[in-house]
Amino acid sequence: MITQPDISVVIPVYNEENNLFLLYERLVNTLQGLAVSFELLFVNDGSQDGSAAILQQFAQKDARVKFIDFSRNFGHQIAVSAGIDHAQGGAIAIIDADLQDPPELIADLYRKMQEGFEVVYARRNARKGETWFKKWTAKMFYRLLSRITTINIPIDTGDFRIIHRKVADVLKNMPERHKYIRGQIAWIGFNQTYVMYDRNERHAGKTGYTLGKMARFALDGITAFSDFPLKIVSYFGLLVSVFAFLMTLYALYGRYILKDYVQGWTSLIISVLFIGGIQMIGIGIIGEYLSRMNADTRRRPLYIVRDSNIAPPSPPDES
Ligand code: UDP
Ligand code: MG
């Protein structure tokens, strides 16, 4: 019989060897200060540095440390999902390993939860040490997303938060492959609130979120929670069709009534290119949705565990 800790802390780790010791120390101090029982659940997402060895070392010294070692890099959202799948706690905190999210804030999140909330997320006041490009794209993206979705995904919020067991159990039954966890949690509902905080600079190392990963993540968020891009394509198609119809009338009028026509290469090439472009964009957007449906129908396991000290491993998927 496994006793359920009060809090599980889920920490996705990708090449964080120089952050783990300080992170561990600050987490343990915070949680001991709260006087709760806890487990620290590290998910090593295919790190190429010494992170895995450090986690093994923690686990040997401290029975409260659990780790899951992926067979390769599956991505941040999947690492967090795996952590939630295996977490035993009555409450589950999610925090980055790079100390951008202050571990001490977990105490505030937990206390707020005791007031009767199932989700307490940490909302960013200031973002230190990130490029203007990252801050600007993040800001624009969150605002765009909140305009085109019907659910209320909180603005300026990452995955740093605490969730109740009830929320985790629902999340575990949402099998989509392209995860956008903060959107899923917003969709689930319950009583949600937030605590403000200042986001720090990364303690050491560099970001694991490349531009490509960021773009894919943004597309996952949009396609999972909005059909707006598909609608835009339809509206645009309609607009272009109306325009094309008027042009046809005009062309026929010129040809047969006025009998005044020229070779017309310019208008021809412009309209062909224009309509061609619109069609390509349309097909591309449909393709984005289709490829995600395709990934969901394949029903591959979401992640593969190479090694873990959690027994028995509960499979994330029923397939
Ligand atoms: N991370 C991960 N897999 C990845 C990329 C990142 O598990 O493929 C982890 C990383 O170790 C960190 C968290 O996800 O704990 C956030 O990543 P990062 O700090 O690189 O992103 P940023 O803060 O720059 O958006
Ligand atoms: Mg970071």
Side-chain angles (χ1 to χ4, degrees):
M1 173 81 204
I2 310 159
T3 49
Q4 189 192 48
D6 296 321
I7 304 183
S8 298
V9 184
V10 168
I11 311 131
V13 176
Y14 179 61
N15 295 343
E16 305 280 10
E17 60 184 355
N18 292 321
N19 295 319
L20 290 175
F21 286 103
L22 186 59
L23 173 73
Y24 170 80
E25 195 183 299
R26 285 174 61 180
L27 278 172
V28 169
N29 282 339
T30 304
L31 292 159
Q32 276 171 352
L34 265 177
V36 291
S37 60
F38 63 90
E39 63 176 359
L40 304 180
L41 210 170
F42 294 90
V43 183
N44 174 33
D45 184 16
S47 300
Q48 289 112 25
D49 66 355
S51 297
I54 296 171
L55 296 180
Q56 299 252 12
Q57 208 178 306
F58 286 165
Q60 267 162 21
K61 281 192 314 208
D62 184 343
R64 298 167 301 190
V65 172
K66 307 281 188 294
F67 70 87
I68 296 168
D69 199 9
F70 279 178
S71 61
R72 63 171 169 84
N73 179 245
F74 279 88
H76 167 248
Q77 294 285 297
I78 294 181
V80 172
S81 301
I84 294 171
D85 284 343
H86 292 81
Q88 305 280 348
I92 296 161
I94 304 164
I95 187 170
D96 283 357
D98 59 0
L99 296 165
Q100 281 197 286
D101 308 330
E104 294 71 25
L105 199 80
I106 291 178
D108 298 329
L109 297 175
Y110 186 69
R111 277 192 222 105
K112 194 89 193 164
M113 175 172 250
Q114 304 308 308
E115 294 172 17
F117 296 96
E118 279 91 4
V119 177
V120 185
Y121 51 88
R123 193 164 160 182
R124 297 161 183 169
N125 242 331
R127 298 169 71 125
K128 269 183 253 166
E130 289 179 299
T131 61
W132 66 266
F133 178 76
K134 174 129 191 175
K135 282 190 260 197
W136 186 77
T137 47
K139 189 174 164 177
M140 296 315 281
F141 169 70
Y142 288 129
R143 272 147 192 84
L144 170 77
L145 189 65
S146 76
R147 296 199 117 206
I148 65 177
T149 50
T150 44
I151 54 161
N152 212 352
I153 302 175
I155 279 181
D156 298 331
T157 308
D159 289 318
F160 185 27
R161 57 186 63 207
I162 196 164
I163 60 176
H164 194 273
R165 171 91 259 145
K166 287 185 261 186
V167 177
D169 287 340
V170 182
L171 264 182
K172 283 162 79 171
N173 286 315
M174 291 171 77
E176 58 235 58
R177 257 94 258 274
H178 291 269
K179 300 275 182 196
Y180 190 67
I181 295 169
R182 57 201 78 161
Q184 290 179 288
I185 292 177
W187 181 87
I188 290 171
F190 290 104
N191 281 337
Q192 309 209 357
T193 189
Y194 62 90
V195 167
M196 300 293 290
Y197 81 112
D198 288 329
R199 190 158 162 88
N200 293 320
E201 286 174 52
R202 203 168 228 289
H203 172 67
K206 59 178 184 4
T207 176
Y209 261 100
T210 55
L211 199 61
K213 275 185 187 173
M214 254 165 66
R216 239 174 295 149
F217 181 54
L219 261 177
D220 286 341
I222 292 172
T223 52
F225 293 97
S226 173
D227 291 332
F228 186 72
L230 286 175
K231 292 209 186 89
I232 283 213
V233 173
S234 319
Y235 292 145
F236 236 80
L238 200 70
L239 213 72
V240 172
S241 305
V242 169
F243 180 69
F245 177 70
L246 294 177
M247 280 304 282
T248 310
L249 289 185
Y250 172 74
L252 290 174
Y253 179 73
R255 171 71 179 76
Y256 291 107
I257 313 286
L258 298 181
K259 303 219 183 305
D260 162 33
Y261 57 94
V262 284
Q263 299 313 79
W265 183 82
T266 315
S267 58
L268 202 67
I269 198 75
I270 289 175
S271 53
V272 166
L273 288 178
F274 181 64
I275 294 177
I278 296 280
Q279 281 176 336
M280 294 304 249
I281 294 171
I283 292 171
I285 292 176
I286 294 168
E288 292 291 337
Y289 283 87
L290 211 62
S291 76
R292 281 164 179 75
M293 276 175 60
N294 190 28
D296 281 342
T297 48
R298 268 191 244 122
R299 299 174 63 82
R300 287 190 189 146
L302 194 58
Y303 50 85
I304 298 162
V305 177
R306 192 178 71 85
D307 187 17
S308 172
N309 66 344
I310 304 173
S314 57
D317 209 359
E318 67 278 40
S319 59

